[in-house]
Amino acid sequence: MPRSTLDFATLDRRAAYRLLTSVIAPRPVAWVSTLSADGRANLAPFSFFQMIAPHPPTVMICPQHNADGSLKDTARNIRDTGEFVVNLVSFAQVEQMNASSWAFGPEESEFELVGIAATASTRVAPPSVTDSPASLECTLASFTLYPDQQPTCAIVLGTVVAAHVDTDRVSLDGPVDPNALDLVSRMGADWYGRTRTAGNFSLPRPQRWVR
Ligand SMILES: Cc1cc2nc3c(=O)[nH]c(=O)nc-3n(C[C@H](O)[C@H](O)[C@H](O)COP(=O)(O)O)c2cc1C
């Protein structure tokens, strides 16, 4: 197998981004709804997104700064209000999700401009995306600019305080079928994946060690 070694001390930023986002894949997509301090709804996708703990139930998103070094609307809104909703994205919603990534101004709402239906949340003020198969209402647990010197992004941890799920696709008392869920994920460049795919397989954890 031919292997090349890349030294990140000399790799330029674009090449580093291209490589890491291509090999750290697929990444789930958090479609994050927030409210500005003056109550305007905002919605944008983030694939630097993970669950980091079930107890307390904690998720992480990492909005990178804008090119001018300012916070993206999502990061600023979460810092200012302490609340957000992570909406998971089904394949049927992929075009709307992509459209909502356009750099709209802070005074514009992606819900209105893209025509995305919103539903009031129960425990937080930002609305959820009505047709999302699963929406996670979150309160801010930690907001850190990273790195300390010349930060380039925010590391946002949220505690999940409520979830709303489509019970046609998310069983509450048994395993959830990823094919029924049909979520989209982000890979390198403009590639996306789907959890509905012929390549899915089930692999139970080992019950004992066999040499
Ligand atoms: C699928 C997808 C994933 C994205 N993931 C991220 C991400 O993890 N971090 C980020 O800073 N921007 C990401 N973006 C770009 C943001 O969505 C985009 O900058 C958006 O305009 C931010 O909106 P806001 O200023 O309203 O927060 C992603 C875009 C797409 C389409």
Side-chain angles (χ1 to χ4, degrees), residues 4-210:
S4 289
T5 301
L6 301 158
D7 183 348
F8 277 70
T10 52
L11 204 59
D12 77 57
R13 282 180 167 218
R14 289 184 72 82
Y17 173 85
R18 197 170 54 234
L19 178 73
L20 292 176
T21 54
S22 298
V23 299
I24 303 174
R27 297 181 305 285
V29 178
W31 206 7
V32 179
S33 35
T34 53
L35 290 182
S36 62
D38 59 1
R40 184 159 289 275
N42 192 86
L43 181 67
F46 294 89
S47 71
F48 296 176
F49 160 51
Q50 257 305 338
M51 165 181 174
I52 65 160
H55 308 295
T58 309
V59 296
M60 176 189 68
I61 59 163
C62 298
Q64 306 304 298
H65 287 358
N66 289 314
D68 66 2
S70 61
L71 291 179
K72 290 192 178 177
D73 295 343
T74 300
R76 197 189 51 252
N77 291 350
I78 295 173
R79 184 199 62 190
D80 291 352
T81 67
E83 296 182 335
F84 59 105
V85 180
V86 169
N87 304 277
L88 282 303
V89 183
S90 70
F91 180 67
Q93 297 173 299
V94 75
E95 295 287 351
Q96 285 189 324
M97 178 279 292
N98 193 32
S100 74
S101 75
W102 180 253
F104 295 107
E107 70 293 349
E108 298 175 305
S109 169
E110 292 80 2
F111 280 104
E112 287 166 24
L113 292 168
V114 183
I116 299 162
T119 296
S121 293
T122 54
R123 298 279 308 279
V124 299
S128 67
V129 172
T130 305
D131 295 323
S132 169
S135 298
L136 311 175
E137 296 184 17
C138 300
T139 56
L140 181 61
S142 159
F143 187 98
T144 312
L145 294 181
Y146 181 83
D148 269 352
Q149 307 293 323
Q150 298 178 316
T152 59
C153 68
I155 302 175
V156 176
L157 304 187
T159 308
V160 181
V161 293
H164 306 278
V165 299
D166 172 355
T167 48
D168 281 345
R169 288 186 275 184
V170 180
S171 160
L172 295 180
D173 49 14
V176 173
D177 177 1
N179 290 297
L181 200 51
D182 201 12
L183 298 182
V184 294
S185 60
R186 186 81 189 274
M187 300 193 282
D190 291 336
W191 285 95
Y192 283 87
R194 293 173 70 169
T195 63
R196 173 176 293 177
T197 164
N200 285 338
F201 59 94
S202 170
L203 180 66
R205 290 280 292 270
Q207 298 303 306
R208 61 196 170 87
W209 176 248
V210 184

